[in-house]
Amino acid sequence: MEWIAMALAAMLAGGIDAIAGGGGLVMLPALFAAYPTTAAATLLGTNKATSVWGTAMAAWRYSQRVPLCWRTMLPAAASAFVASWAGAWTVTLLPSDVLRRLLPLVLLLVLLYTLSKKEFGRTHTPRFSGKKEVLFASLIAVSIGFYDGFFGPGTGSFFIFLLVRVLGYDFLHASVSAKLLNFSTNVAAIVLFGSKGHVWWPLALTLGAANVVGSLLGTHLALRHGAGFVRGIFIAAVGVLILKTGWDAFLR
Protein backbone atom coordinates (compact mmCIF):
# COMPACT_ATOMS: atom_id res chain seq x y z
CA MET A 1 0.00 0.00 0.00
CA GLU A 2 2.89 2.34 0.78
CA TRP A 3 4.40 1.89 -2.67
CA ILE A 4 0.98 2.33 -4.31
CA ALA A 5 0.51 5.64 -2.49
CA MET A 6 3.99 6.71 -3.52
CA ALA A 7 3.29 5.73 -7.13
CA LEU A 8 0.16 7.92 -7.15
CA ALA A 9 2.22 10.80 -5.75
CA ALA A 10 4.84 10.25 -8.45
CA MET A 11 2.14 10.27 -11.14
CA LEU A 12 0.68 13.54 -9.85
CA ALA A 13 4.15 15.07 -9.59
CA GLY A 14 4.92 14.05 -13.17
CA GLY A 15 1.73 15.69 -14.45
CA ILE A 16 2.31 18.97 -12.63
CA ASP A 17 5.97 19.10 -13.56
CA ALA A 18 5.27 18.43 -17.24
CA ILE A 19 2.94 21.42 -17.45
CA ALA A 20 4.53 24.11 -15.31
CA GLY A 21 7.31 22.73 -13.09
CA GLY A 22 7.03 22.23 -9.35
CA GLY A 23 6.59 18.46 -9.25
CA GLY A 24 8.97 18.32 -6.32
CA LEU A 25 6.26 19.97 -4.23
CA VAL A 26 4.40 16.65 -4.34
CA MET A 27 7.21 14.12 -4.51
CA LEU A 28 9.61 15.32 -1.82
CA PRO A 29 7.02 15.73 0.99
CA ALA A 30 5.62 12.31 0.09
CA LEU A 31 9.06 10.70 0.33
CA PHE A 32 9.90 12.39 3.62
CA ALA A 33 6.51 11.44 5.08
CA ALA A 34 6.74 7.80 3.97
CA TYR A 35 10.39 7.27 4.99
CA PRO A 36 11.05 9.59 7.96
CA THR A 37 14.08 7.64 9.19
CA THR A 38 15.88 7.58 5.82
CA ALA A 39 18.78 9.98 5.28
CA ALA A 40 17.69 13.24 3.63
CA ALA A 41 20.40 12.94 0.97
CA THR A 42 19.04 9.51 -0.03
CA LEU A 43 15.50 10.88 -0.37
CA LEU A 44 16.75 13.86 -2.41
CA GLY A 45 18.74 11.55 -4.68
CA THR A 46 15.78 9.18 -5.03
CA ASN A 47 13.52 12.11 -5.92
CA LYS A 48 15.89 13.18 -8.70
CA ALA A 49 16.18 9.60 -9.98
CA THR A 50 12.36 9.41 -10.02
CA SER A 51 11.61 12.71 -11.74
CA VAL A 52 14.29 12.51 -14.42
CA TRP A 53 12.27 9.92 -16.36
CA GLY A 54 9.13 12.04 -16.53
CA THR A 55 11.17 15.12 -17.42
CA ALA A 56 12.86 13.26 -20.28
CA MET A 57 9.52 11.95 -21.56
CA ALA A 58 7.94 15.42 -21.39
CA ALA A 59 10.88 16.93 -23.28
CA TRP A 60 10.57 14.28 -26.00
CA ARG A 61 6.78 14.63 -26.33
CA TYR A 62 6.89 18.43 -26.40
CA SER A 63 9.68 18.47 -29.00
CA GLN A 64 7.51 16.40 -31.35
CA ARG A 65 4.83 19.09 -31.43
CA VAL A 66 6.56 22.33 -30.39
CA PRO A 67 9.72 23.48 -32.23
CA LEU A 68 12.74 23.38 -29.95
CA CYS A 69 15.78 25.49 -30.85
CA TRP A 70 18.39 22.81 -30.35
CA ARG A 71 21.35 25.01 -31.31
CA THR A 72 20.39 27.31 -28.44
CA MET A 73 19.24 24.79 -25.85
CA LEU A 74 21.96 22.14 -26.15
CA PRO A 75 24.76 24.53 -25.10
CA ALA A 76 22.43 25.84 -22.39
CA ALA A 77 21.74 22.28 -21.19
CA ALA A 78 25.50 21.61 -20.99
CA SER A 79 25.90 24.80 -18.95
CA ALA A 80 23.03 23.74 -16.67
CA PHE A 81 24.68 20.36 -16.07
CA VAL A 82 27.99 21.89 -14.97
CA ALA A 83 26.26 24.54 -12.84
CA SER A 84 24.02 21.99 -11.13
CA TRP A 85 27.02 19.86 -10.25
CA ALA A 86 28.78 22.94 -8.87
CA GLY A 87 25.70 23.86 -6.84
CA ALA A 88 25.42 20.36 -5.37
CA TRP A 89 29.10 20.47 -4.43
CA THR A 90 28.73 23.96 -2.90
CA VAL A 91 25.82 22.91 -0.69
CA THR A 92 28.21 20.56 1.11
CA LEU A 93 30.27 23.60 2.12
CA LEU A 94 27.74 26.37 2.78
CA PRO A 95 24.42 26.54 4.69
CA SER A 96 21.27 27.13 2.63
CA ASP A 97 19.25 28.81 5.41
CA VAL A 98 19.51 32.29 3.87
CA LEU A 99 18.34 31.00 0.49
CA ARG A 100 15.50 29.11 2.19
CA ARG A 101 14.16 32.38 3.65
CA LEU A 102 14.70 34.38 0.47
CA LEU A 103 12.99 31.87 -1.85
CA PRO A 104 9.31 32.60 -1.01
CA LEU A 105 9.94 36.33 -1.45
CA VAL A 106 11.50 35.80 -4.88
CA LEU A 107 8.62 33.52 -5.88
CA LEU A 108 6.14 36.17 -4.75
CA LEU A 109 7.79 38.69 -7.08
CA VAL A 110 7.56 36.16 -9.93
CA LEU A 111 3.86 35.64 -9.24
CA LEU A 112 3.05 39.36 -8.97
CA TYR A 113 4.91 40.12 -12.18
CA THR A 114 3.12 37.35 -14.07
CA LEU A 115 -0.29 38.46 -12.79
CA SER A 116 0.38 42.12 -13.60
CA LYS A 117 1.30 41.36 -17.22
CA LYS A 118 -1.90 39.91 -18.68
CA GLU A 119 -0.27 39.00 -22.01
CA PHE A 120 2.93 37.69 -20.41
CA GLY A 121 3.85 34.39 -22.06
CA ARG A 122 0.80 34.21 -24.32
CA THR A 123 2.62 34.89 -27.60
CA HIS A 124 5.91 33.49 -28.88
CA THR A 125 8.09 36.44 -29.90
CA PRO A 126 11.78 35.56 -29.37
CA ARG A 127 13.88 38.64 -28.62
CA PHE A 128 17.24 37.27 -29.71
CA SER A 129 18.74 34.98 -32.32
CA GLY A 130 22.00 33.21 -33.05
CA LYS A 131 24.88 33.57 -30.59
CA LYS A 132 23.07 36.20 -28.54
CA GLU A 133 20.20 33.80 -27.82
CA VAL A 134 22.69 31.06 -26.92
CA LEU A 135 24.45 33.45 -24.53
CA PHE A 136 21.30 34.51 -22.67
CA ALA A 137 19.92 30.97 -22.58
CA SER A 138 23.22 29.73 -21.14
CA LEU A 139 23.21 32.48 -18.49
CA ILE A 140 19.71 31.38 -17.45
CA ALA A 141 20.86 27.75 -17.42
CA VAL A 142 23.93 28.50 -15.28
CA SER A 143 22.04 30.57 -12.69
CA ILE A 144 19.06 28.23 -12.25
CA GLY A 145 21.19 25.11 -12.74
CA PHE A 146 23.41 26.17 -9.84
CA TYR A 147 20.32 26.89 -7.77
CA ASP A 148 18.90 23.43 -8.55
CA GLY A 149 22.06 21.73 -7.39
CA PHE A 150 22.36 23.94 -4.31
CA PHE A 151 18.73 24.00 -3.17
CA GLY A 152 16.14 23.03 -5.80
CA PRO A 153 12.46 23.85 -5.09
CA GLY A 154 10.71 25.45 -8.06
CA THR A 155 13.55 24.94 -10.54
CA GLY A 156 11.23 24.14 -13.46
CA SER A 157 9.06 27.17 -12.70
CA PHE A 158 12.09 29.47 -12.54
CA PHE A 159 13.33 28.13 -15.88
CA ILE A 160 9.94 28.77 -17.49
CA PHE A 161 9.61 32.28 -16.05
CA LEU A 162 13.07 33.41 -17.19
CA LEU A 163 12.71 31.86 -20.66
CA VAL A 164 9.48 33.84 -21.09
CA ARG A 165 10.77 37.05 -19.49
CA VAL A 166 14.28 37.16 -20.97
CA LEU A 167 14.03 35.28 -24.28
CA GLY A 168 10.44 36.24 -25.16
CA TYR A 169 9.12 32.68 -25.45
CA ASP A 170 5.47 31.85 -24.82
CA PHE A 171 4.69 29.49 -21.95
CA LEU A 172 4.43 26.43 -24.21
CA HIS A 173 7.83 26.96 -25.89
CA ALA A 174 9.35 27.88 -22.52
CA SER A 175 7.99 24.70 -20.98
CA VAL A 176 9.54 22.39 -23.58
CA SER A 177 12.89 24.20 -23.31
CA ALA A 178 12.72 24.10 -19.51
CA LYS A 179 12.25 20.33 -19.62
CA LEU A 180 15.51 19.87 -21.52
CA LEU A 181 17.40 22.13 -19.10
CA ASN A 182 15.79 20.50 -16.06
CA PHE A 183 16.65 17.05 -17.42
CA SER A 184 20.30 18.11 -17.58
CA THR A 185 20.32 19.44 -14.00
CA ASN A 186 18.62 16.26 -12.77
CA VAL A 187 21.22 14.05 -14.45
CA ALA A 188 24.04 16.05 -12.83
CA ALA A 189 22.44 15.63 -9.40
CA ILE A 190 21.86 11.90 -9.97
CA VAL A 191 25.51 11.41 -10.91
CA LEU A 192 26.59 13.17 -7.72
CA PHE A 193 24.09 11.49 -5.38
CA GLY A 194 24.53 8.10 -7.05
CA SER A 195 28.32 8.22 -6.73
CA LYS A 196 27.88 8.68 -2.98
CA GLY A 197 25.28 5.89 -2.66
CA HIS A 198 22.37 8.26 -2.05
CA VAL A 199 19.88 6.84 -4.57
CA TRP A 200 17.41 4.11 -3.61
CA TRP A 201 17.25 2.61 -7.09
CA PRO A 202 14.48 -0.04 -6.70
CA LEU A 203 12.05 2.59 -5.42
CA ALA A 204 13.26 5.27 -7.84
CA LEU A 205 12.77 3.09 -10.91
CA THR A 206 9.31 1.97 -9.78
CA LEU A 207 8.19 5.52 -9.07
CA GLY A 208 9.87 6.68 -12.27
CA ALA A 209 7.44 4.55 -14.31
CA ALA A 210 4.49 6.21 -12.56
CA ASN A 211 6.12 9.60 -13.05
CA VAL A 212 6.30 8.96 -16.80
CA VAL A 213 2.56 8.19 -16.92
CA GLY A 214 1.77 11.45 -15.15
CA SER A 215 4.17 13.31 -17.41
CA LEU A 216 2.46 11.98 -20.54
CA LEU A 217 -0.94 13.09 -19.22
CA GLY A 218 0.37 16.54 -18.30
CA THR A 219 2.08 17.00 -21.66
CA HIS A 220 -1.12 15.98 -23.46
CA LEU A 221 -3.13 18.60 -21.55
CA ALA A 222 -0.55 21.32 -22.19
CA LEU A 223 -0.34 20.61 -25.93
CA ARG A 224 -4.11 20.37 -26.23
CA HIS A 225 -4.93 23.60 -24.39
CA GLY A 226 -1.94 25.75 -25.31
CA ALA A 227 0.08 28.56 -23.73
CA GLY A 228 -2.88 30.09 -21.86
CA PHE A 229 -3.52 26.83 -20.02
CA VAL A 230 0.17 26.45 -19.14
CA ARG A 231 0.18 30.04 -17.87
CA GLY A 232 -2.74 29.29 -15.54
CA ILE A 233 -1.13 26.14 -14.14
CA PHE A 234 2.16 28.03 -13.78
CA ILE A 235 0.44 30.71 -11.66
CA ALA A 236 -1.21 28.04 -9.50
CA ALA A 237 2.06 26.11 -9.08
CA VAL A 238 4.01 29.24 -8.09
CA GLY A 239 1.26 30.17 -5.62
CA VAL A 240 1.51 26.79 -3.91
CA LEU A 241 5.32 27.03 -3.97
CA ILE A 242 5.11 30.36 -2.12
CA LEU A 243 2.91 28.83 0.59
CA LYS A 244 5.06 25.71 0.94
CA THR A 245 8.46 27.44 0.96
CA GLY A 246 7.14 30.24 3.19
CA TRP A 247 5.89 27.69 5.72
CA ASP A 248 9.21 25.82 5.67
CA ALA A 249 11.25 29.02 6.02
CA PHE A 250 9.33 31.00 8.62
CA LEU A 251 6.70 28.89 10.40
CA ARG A 252 7.98 25.33 10.65
Side-chain angles (χ1 to χ4, degrees), residues 1-11 35 203 206-207 210:
M1 288 299 296
E2 188 175 77
W3 279 43
I4 291 174
M6 292 303 301
L8 291 173
M11 189 182 301
Y35 306 103
L203 179 63
T206 301
L207 298 184

Side-chain angles (χ1 to χ4, degrees), residues 2-251:
E2 188 175 77
W3 279 43
I4 291 174
M6 292 303 301
L8 291 173
M11 189 182 301
L12 178 60
I16 294 171
D17 206 60
I19 299 171
L25 277 175
V26 176
M27 202 65 244
L28 272 176
L31 283 168
F32 276 91
Y35 306 103
T37 61
T38 303
T42 300
L43 297 180
L44 290 170
T46 301
N47 173 61
K48 292 292 186 185
T50 294
S51 62
V52 70
W53 306 103
T55 303
M57 182 59 68
W60 176 67
R61 288 287 293 145
Y62 273 125
S63 66
Q64 289 184 315
R65 296 277 299 276
V66 181
L68 179 63
C69 188
W70 291 101
R71 65 181 181 181
T72 296
M73 288 303 152
L74 284 179
S79 301
F81 181 95
V82 174
S84 180
W85 178 279
W89 177 75
T90 304
V91 79
T92 65
L93 306 176
L94 300 173
S96 58
D97 290 345
V98 174
L99 188 57
R100 187 185 304 276
R101 292 180 178 273
L102 185 61
L103 179 60
L105 303 179
V106 175
L107 284 166
L108 181 59
L109 292 177
V110 168
L111 179 61
L112 292 175
Y113 183 91
T114 304
L115 290 172
S116 69
K117 304 288 185 179
K118 300 300 182 183
E119 297 304 312
F120 182 69
R122 292 186 183 274
T123 58
H124 186 63
T125 52
R127 294 192 178 93
F128 311 108
S129 61
K131 293 182 179 179
K132 198 169 184 179
E133 187 177 51
V134 173
L135 173 62
F136 279 100
S138 296
L139 288 174
I140 293 170
V142 166
S143 58
I144 305 303
F146 183 88
Y147 164 77
D148 190 30
F150 186 76
F151 193 53
T155 294
S157 299
F158 279 130
F159 270 136
I160 291 172
F161 176 79
L162 289 177
L163 290 169
V164 174
R165 177 66 184 86
V166 177
L167 299 189
Y169 290 5
D170 65 11
F171 272 100
L172 199 55
H173 285 79
S175 190
V176 61
S177 299
K179 294 300 167 289
L180 179 62
L181 300 179
N182 209 172
F183 172 76
S184 183
T185 62
N186 281 344
V187 170
I190 291 168
V191 171
L192 182 65
F193 284 123
S195 67
K196 295 182 178 296
H198 285 305
V199 177
W200 189 1
W201 286 110
L203 179 63
L205 293 175
T206 301
L207 298 184
N211 192 256
V212 167
V213 174
S215 179
L216 288 172
L217 292 173
T219 306
H220 172 75
L221 289 173
L223 291 172
R224 181 176 180 180
H225 297 289
F229 173 78
V230 177
R231 184 181 190 273
I233 299 299
F234 173 83
I235 290 171
V238 171
V240 175
L241 267 169
I242 291 169
L243 295 175
K244 176 65 169 64
T245 57
W247 173 269
D248 289 343
F250 300 108
L251 300 174

